[in-house]
Amino acid sequence: MRTVKVSISTLILSICILSSILIIPINRASAASSGIPYSFFLEHPYSVTGVRGNLEIASVDGGGALIMNQLRADLSLSDNYFGIYAKFPFSGVTSGVFGNGDYDFGNIGLGTKYALVSSNNSAFTLGFEVLLPPTGNNLGALGARSYFRDFAYFTDDAYTFVPYGVFAIGGDVFALQANFDFDIMTNAKHADESPFDTGGDNTELILKYGISGSVTPHFNLPFSTSFLVELLMASSTSFDNNVTGAYVTPGVRFGGRMFSFGAGVQIPFGSDEISDFANVDFVLDMMMRFGG
């Protein structure tokens, strides 16, 4: 349980620090992003100014748990259509199948995105992210790589370049979003480690693609309530033995103009390396926005 306590305290402390950094004067947002709720793991088509943090706890076959956090800071530069952001991932394991507990810092993600097409109910966005490698090769990082979904964020010494696209359409009640990413990993020799056989190549390519559907009924409440189902998939294309992970996440999100809180359950399946590693993953996240 020590690892869980460390991850929760780190999440709360980092959100407070990032909040103090980002409380700055900003222009009122004008993009019609309210009709497209935030999914759990897909990049949203619009930019905001704010901070976001999550906590995931997944039970591991053979005993123990995988603990994952991600802290994120966003800055909107042009009425929600253009923005920059930074991601700070963490991963830990409790004693069990890994033998000992551990908690590691992942690779830092720096990104930007721009909504090329935007209307009252739809958007098409292109973005680019680069992952810089401060992560090590300890048990926490190994646990996150074994889950595969965030493989590039926890590969030691690897620099990763991620061009991506987002299409979303939202209405009064229903919304749909689709994403497609290219994780282009360089200096990735340390990725060749059990349970995956990458062949030890210097460059690897992982495709990530997903879709999210949501319903936001009109309840007589002072905040919106959205019910979401998200499917995210990650497929290696250059490993000696290629794998595909699929992750289904049903959940609910409560939100107002400033705060948004989400809770869900992620169910992993796909290649044996992933389905034999982890069971259900419980997900919590919180977002704080500044301005419109």
Side-chain angles (χ1 to χ4, degrees), residues 13 45 47 49-50 60 65 77 118 120 122 164 174 205 211 221:
L13 176 62
S47 297
T49 294
V60 175
L77 299 176
S118 177
N120 289 333
S122 63
Y164 62 86
F174 300 100
L205 172 62
I211 188 169
L221 296 171

Side-chain angles (χ1 to χ4, degrees), residues 151 185-193 196-204 238-241:
F151 190 86
M185 301 177 64
T186 64
N187 198 35
K189 292 183 178 180
H190 288 169
D192 187 23
E193 187 172 356
F196 304 111
D197 178 11
T198 70
D201 297 328
N202 189 62
T203 302
E204 306 287 355
S238 53
F239 291 7
D240 276 11
N241 293 311

